[in-house]
Amino acid sequence: MSEKFIELLWAEKYRPRSLKDIVNQEEIVKRLLKFVEEKNMPHLLFAGPPGTGKTTAALALAYDLYGNEWRRYVLELNASDERGITVIRNKVKEFARSKLPGDTPFKIVILDEADNMTADAQQALRRIMEMYVETTRFILIANYPSKIIDPIQSRCASFRFTPLKKEDVIGRLHWICRQENIKCLDDGLEVIYEISGGDMRKAINILQSTAALGEVSVGNVYKVIGLAHPREIREILNLALLGKFIEARDKLRDLMVVYGLSGVDVVKQMHREIFSADIKIPEEIRVILAEYIGEIHFRIIEGADDEIQLTALLARIALLGRKVS
Amino acid sequence: MSEKFIELLWAEKYRPRSLKDIVNQEEIVKRLLKFVEEKNMPHLLFAGPPGTGKTTAALALAYDLYGNEWRRYVLELNASDERGITVIRNKVKEFARSKLPGDTPFKIVILDEADNMTADAQQALRRIMEMYVETTRFILIANYPSKIIDPIQSRCASFRFTPLKKEDVIGRLHWICRQENIKCLDDGLEVIYEISGGDMRKAINILQSTAALGEVSVGNVYKVIGLAHPREIREILNLALLGKFIEARDKLRDLMVVYGLSGVDVVKQMHREIFSADIKIPEEIRVILAEYIGEIHFRIIEGADDEIQLTALLARIALLGRKVS
Amino acid sequence: MSEKFIELLWAEKYRPRSLKDIVNQEEIVKRLLKFVEEKNMPHLLFAGPPGTGKTTAALALAYDLYGNEWRRYVLELNASDERGITVIRNKVKEFARSKLPGDTPFKIVILDEADNMTADAQQALRRIMEMYVETTRFILIANYPSKIIDPIQSRCASFRFTPLKKEDVIGRLHWICRQENIKCLDDGLEVIYEISGGDMRKAINILQSTAALGEVSVGNVYKVIGLAHPREIREILNLALLGKFIEARDKLRDLMVVYGLSGVDVVKQMHREIFSADIKIPEEIRVILAEYIGEIHFRIIEGADDEIQLTALLARIALLGRKVS
Amino acid sequence: MSEKFIELLWAEKYRPRSLKDIVNQEEIVKRLLKFVEEKNMPHLLFAGPPGTGKTTAALALAYDLYGNEWRRYVLELNASDERGITVIRNKVKEFARSKLPGDTPFKIVILDEADNMTADAQQALRRIMEMYVETTRFILIANYPSKIIDPIQSRCASFRFTPLKKEDVIGRLHWICRQENIKCLDDGLEVIYEISGGDMRKAINILQSTAALGEVSVGNVYKVIGLAHPREIREILNLALLGKFIEARDKLRDLMVVYGLSGVDVVKQMHREIFSADIKIPEEIRVILAEYIGEIHFRIIEGADDEIQLTALLARIALLGRKVS
Amino acid sequence: MSHERGIPWTLKYRPKTLIEVIDQEEAKSKVIEWLNKWPNVSKKALLLYGPPGCGKTSLVEAIANEYGYELIEMNASDFRRKTDIERIALRASTSHSLFGFNKKMILLDEIDGISAREDEGALEAIQELIEKSNAPIIMTANNPWNQNLRILRDLAEFVQLKKLTKTDMRSMLMRICKAEKIICNEDAINYIIERSEGDLRAAINDLQSVGEGFSEVTLERTKLLLRPRDKEKDPFETLRSIFSANYSWQAKAVINQSQLDYEQLKMWLEENIPLQYTNLEDLERAFEALSKADLYIGRIAKTGDWDLLSYAIDLMTAGIALSAKNSSKDKYRWIKYSFPQRILLASKLKEIRSIRDDIAQILAYHLHVSTSVAKNEIIPLLKTIFTTDPLKAAKIALGLGFTEKMIEYLAGTNKNTILEHYRELKKRVVSHHRSKPSKSIESNNEMYKESVGLNKNSKKEERNLFAFSKKK
């Protein structure tokens, strides 16, 4: 029954299976195809922002090496699984012991979010990598290569994944919409792209959630991710800038209640809006605001009361607005 | 804890048992009743401010699905209670193993405060949700949907709970007072509504505590929640604004002792009062004060000494007052 | 017998042993006596200002329940002394395991200054309270009830201790003087009451110290207070204000070594000192100083070294002093 | 590590095997060759920055002394091996003490990164070096010789390895590119040299990773190491200092996307650049900037949002720039 | 041993007899004199200390060799746990010897290299060994101020070995050159001697580096191979470089070359900023920089992120260097810097604080308050009683079970009077109790001890009727 009920996650459903299906990162794909050809490879380090296809490339590489049975020869270790170094050691040990694939002289361990490991754990990892190198190759996946210790970097061939271009992401979303028979509006997709920050997986997830509400419109996207419509945030900012502090504050309260916005949500949205072209703020005010928003954001992160801090922010904006006009 | 004991809390005693007893959130109730009818449902995500009936709806849904024996088929977890995802995993594992109810093909796990989980823990949760989906459905409850990671959002049917209307809350309080045979004054209930910020459970709790003191009057409400009467806070502010710094400070000290106010209590009350119509402050001072209160509030949150920080606040107000007059 | 050779602190000597000896807080005593009668009680929360008899009531309740051997059945903990919730958990565990008293079905844990615990620790505490509820009842004591998390509040019977009336405190002091055969003047006692801010324990301690000087007169009371709050702090401030930085610093060091004061102790005393009538500085300087001190205190709380911070404070004061003169 | 596999990493593939293959550090190589001739040498301490060929020289010396079988006579302990006091007292002592094959002059213990060993472990080493000197010689390798305790320094002849000259490094990279049939641009190689700081191994690793992206150009090099070009960071700082806040921000965003920089990466790079001579600001402004950057760095560590905080940082810099000019 | 095999020169030219031991005449005679008298000596062990390479171990070996002692050696490469040391003692005490020596001598080398963790209990065992041993014990160490040596000060005679003189070193190096048939340039020899700073072993190693395999030692090769040793700046140089820096990079560079780590630097600066900067504004700026640096150090502890250290260092170096804006001449004044007082005061402060903590614990127990209330509210009041009414104070001290140290803390200048009363009262209480045993205050204090977990190991502390001792 479950298949029927849990629809697949689109991010999984539309993930390329083979290296040949990957449309971006051409240079990297070319290099990886070499490894498939030669049936040999060193340890690899895939680095780059989230959603640029690192995991996809690793899995596709495995698919191309081992064919349909690839799952047998691949051990995937995720950051969110139990992953003390001892667990890793044991799992790898177990895995390394199992039979080797017919014609490829090694198996693959894929270690996601390797940059989240402490330096000490990475040292231990390095030793594990050396110990089982005869039969096992590691693919380390990281967002920030600078967090990977040198000794590992120098033992891996590293590959840098670059952010996807806007047209690539939007193109892909369009294509999925057609496959799924979903009605989508251009500005809806654009907003998804912006919010996702170029992260393909995130973009597809948002698309799927939005589609559940009906058509992919700007309003629906914001509803799905639990944020206010930018227009309303701008209204509040404008009220404050006009010195209508109390009004601004009341409107903000309403907004938070209606959309269920947290303080951090509001701060982030305000931050985005003060830089939008749709709001008229003198340059110098923008600067001061940007600084103060940073301060307020930090306070809320540290556990301060949303309402008091946001009021303080509006107060500052009102003061600034007064000085200007 | 024993049933008998729980019944003593009105918030429990007057909690609707069945979906049909829920008077607000009509849209949501309608959709949930569908699930009961069909004896099937996806994972659910209930989002909205505290006290808007999310937990009540989840429990009522369970009641309507399983009848009086519902507790057998429901596992209630609180994300901020259970220490870590491993505990959750084990409990769910244990629970999923137990026998299924006769005619409903699944059991329910209710996970409260799911938005308090770290992104990593949510990733792990997502995997747990997938693993046991055959026999178990999750109802995730959250205040801030934006804090729930995308992959979970896109796997859940989302329900947005909106704040209760003032008349709904006050109506309910009135009704309880009649049931319990309690004398209540209108402005007393109104103060309760204000303090509760529309949170029904909180409002009922305050009502009960106040009732223990006798009639539900403004004075008694403030006494019960351990806050100073707003009038007194205003007095301190006025003294400070008149430059009578030492007097203001002494009065504040007394107040803190008498009511047992903590630094955060005082800051919050001051914050509320500077926006009340009962205090005469020029608009610009109000704004400056709002900002400064934000600063002081943050420091106290970070662990700074109440007395030192509040004195600094009063001193600042006194200086402001001087400049104005 | 050994009365001749030894002496106890009066605050201990004259603490009421049984609930019946407590003269104030009649309402509360009445309710507590009920528990004694029934040999049963829920968890209790005692809230109120310092020195209003919360701890005394808790101990007297225990005495009345268990008689002379009461210490065996009571575990006294002070949240601000215990290092972390784990320590508390272990102590409670150990204690809960021990034999139960003959005819009372539970033992008592008294947790003083419970409001000093973080919200997280309180969550854990709540779980401990539930776990051992069969054999153990908790009496939580707090100055600030608002700092006790809701789930604990709703599981406890709450008692609000109100400040003692002037005549109650003075009456008690009178009575002690008669017992101890001390000559006391009415205005002396009155001054003690004022200084103690209605805190009975503090008042008795001051009384005992004053008695060491001879009769309890206004002069002697002030003398005691003067001795207890060393003039050195003021001297250090004055030296610094005169720009004599090195001298001020050396004196500060001496002070810390002689008294074993911590940096936070010194900062708090300085803060008290600058707002005392005895130090002559313009109001504005006072305010600026208060802010400095707040800032320095904040840095110490953030984990900075208290001596460095104090020295930096002196440097600032020295500079400020020059600007003034 | 399997030989065939190692060949895939260029840094290993092109490592000199014999002292005669080493092209830099001529004086030292000459000296070492004489030791090989004489079949005698004191204990050696190789000191100098990373990648100056210390380990290579030690291994080549061993190779020249013992030929292909060199691994038999050498005990290599790397930083990743356990090297505490116990290991020194057991494993190292055991090896030093063990009998020597008839025709070999002595065995060699190579301790890489000896400056990372604890003082205790170093203490345990000193007498071993004396007692078994007839049969065993030590080569200690250190980046910071001052962290080697005096008594050990006194027991070694020490050699200072100097950073490789630019033309040496670039020459080598050129040669490798020819071997590997890689297209490289001169300024690309130059940038690699700069980043490597004369560390040959690091330079070769970067070369290999860059080659994976296609041609070895400046852009690709920076992309690979996941850092922005220092010039670009300086540009942003200069823009902000000139008050061109929006431009600075836009440039920073682009940079972060293109290079996949994390907030911490940016903050660290900025911190490095503000002290560079290429930024023309008064010296004291540098310190103020460092403090700002430190504050923002702290906030990001505490979990604040990269973008908001970096914008706040630029805003602060812009405000500062305005004040200065 | 194969003769073809080369051995390092330091071993080849190691002294075998006393005469070959260069310099150190004073030490030599002291050791021999002590050894001759043994066991009729005031201290049964000897500690030789001096910088590396001055010949401590060689001296002992030469003496053992010449006077016919069997040398039982234990050094840092050996485990030195309690049992290991007891084994040595056993070996030394067995009457016969395999090698036909009739005398034995114990050499405990590198005593300053005893590991606090791995060699736990070693120092106590050595103490015991010294007391019981029937063989002379000689120990060596580089640094006589090493913590390990503190408890040995009363048990061992300290004998200093000095750095070797240049003349002595020169003659030794020349001797080696001659033996190795190397033509030696005098300037090269001088260069080596300068560089070695009195460490003969290092000089011989250097000589071998530039000499072995070459027929001639030239100055050119010597200079190329042997770069001047980089020395770390001592605290005084460190401070001077920071204060006088004009550019931030100059100031920042100092920390890498300093003997001081950032924690120590912080305290040295705290002590010396006011000596260097006299202008109040400069002073305030400098302290503000230091205060902020310190804040970052605090945040490192809070967050566990060491990246923040670099900001602390910026502020501590560049921040302080650039603070002298008003009176920039101050930067270059020559100042006699002083050692941080707080390091000197630290142990005193720690002691006083622990006494205060102990008093607070007693008060907290009796009055059912927290220790911080006891410290801030009750101790000050108690102090007034102690300074105004000695007899009452003594009674209270007795009633609460204070120790004499606690009384001293509370009484200040009044302590002698109170202590007299206290001792007198105590005697009377004891006699009173003998005649009429009853449970009274002791049981009160018993209970207190129980409550803070003192009774488990309080056998020894029971000596004093009302003894109170710290937790832990």
Side-chain angles (χ1 to χ4, degrees), chain A residues 186-200:
Chain A
D186 279 354
D187 50 358
L189 295 189
E190 213 144 305
V191 165
I192 291 182
Y193 169 77
E194 247 165 60
I195 292 167
S196 73
D199 177 339
M200 179 74 91

Side-chain angles (χ1 to χ4, degrees), chain C residues 44-151:
Chain C
L44 310 180
L45 171 60
F46 288 3
T52 48
K54 300 183 297 298
T55 309
T56 298
L59 296 174
L61 173 65
Y63 178 89
D64 288 353
L65 275 168
Y66 310 114
N68 267 322
E69 294 288 273
W70 64 272
R71 274 195 187 272
R72 284 203 190 176
Y73 308 115
V74 173
L75 173 67
E76 269 187 272
L77 298 170
N78 192 304
S80 66
D81 283 343
E82 304 300 332
R83 272 166 308 158
I85 189 70
T86 334
V87 177
I88 293 183
R89 197 195 325 265
N90 291 337
K91 287 195 174 173
V92 171
K93 199 168 153 188
E94 183 80 13
F95 173 70
R97 207 185 275 149
S98 71
K99 252 204 344 238
L100 267 174
D103 52 347
T104 317
F106 55 84
K107 288 169 286 183
I108 291 181
V109 176
I110 299 178
L111 183 62
D112 215 335
E113 304 196 19
D115 46 351
N116 274 346
M117 296 170 77
T118 62
D120 280 354
Q122 290 189 38
Q123 283 285 9
L125 175 65
R126 168 192 141 185
R127 248 168 279 137
I128 297 172
M129 289 167 71
E130 276 172 24
M131 196 173 296
Y132 298 105
V133 70
E134 299 282 340
T135 56
T136 310
R137 296 296 185 280
F138 278 73
I139 305 181
L140 307 184
I141 299 183
N143 289 337
Y144 305 114
S146 66
K147 284 191 187 168
I148 301 290
I149 60 171
D150 277 352

Side-chain angles (χ1 to χ4, degrees), chain A residues 7 10 182-183 204-216 220 224, chain B residues 31 153-158:
Chain A
E7 262 166 273
W10 295 352
I182 298 295
K183 191 179 164 196
I204 299 179
N205 278 329
I206 297 175
L207 182 72
Q208 185 172 18
S209 305
T210 311
L213 283 188
E215 66 170 19
V216 181
N220 277 342
V224 150
Chain B
R31 281 171 71 196
Q153 296 219 25
S154 49
R155 271 178 179 72
C156 291
S158 262

Side-chain angles (χ1 to χ4, degrees), chain B residues 302-322:
Chain B
E302 291 279 283
D305 183 81
D306 287 359
E307 193 181 332
I308 292 183
Q309 296 302 332
L310 290 174
T311 310
L313 175 59
L314 288 181
R316 182 73 78 94
I317 298 178
L319 277 185
L320 273 178
R322 184 170 306 172

Side-chain angles (χ1 to χ4, degrees), chain D residues 194-260:
Chain D
E194 255 166 53
I195 293 167
S196 71
D199 178 339
M200 180 72 91
R201 193 181 50 235
K202 199 169 174 186
I204 298 178
N205 278 328
I206 298 173
L207 182 71
Q208 185 173 17
S209 306
T210 311
L213 279 189
E215 66 172 18
V216 181
S217 63
V218 176
N220 277 342
V221 170
Y222 274 108
K223 234 177 246 173
V224 152
I225 55 163
L227 288 182
H229 195 297
R231 199 190 327 109
E232 303 190 83
I233 295 286
R234 286 197 295 269
E235 254 172 62
I236 292 171
L237 286 170
N238 278 325
L239 282 171
L241 282 165
L242 287 172
K244 298 185 180 165
F245 166 65
I246 300 283
E247 274 173 67
R249 174 168 170 274
D250 290 347
K251 188 159 176 57
L252 178 61
R253 282 176 127 192
D254 286 353
L255 219 61
M256 288 180 74
V257 168
V258 170
Y259 293 106

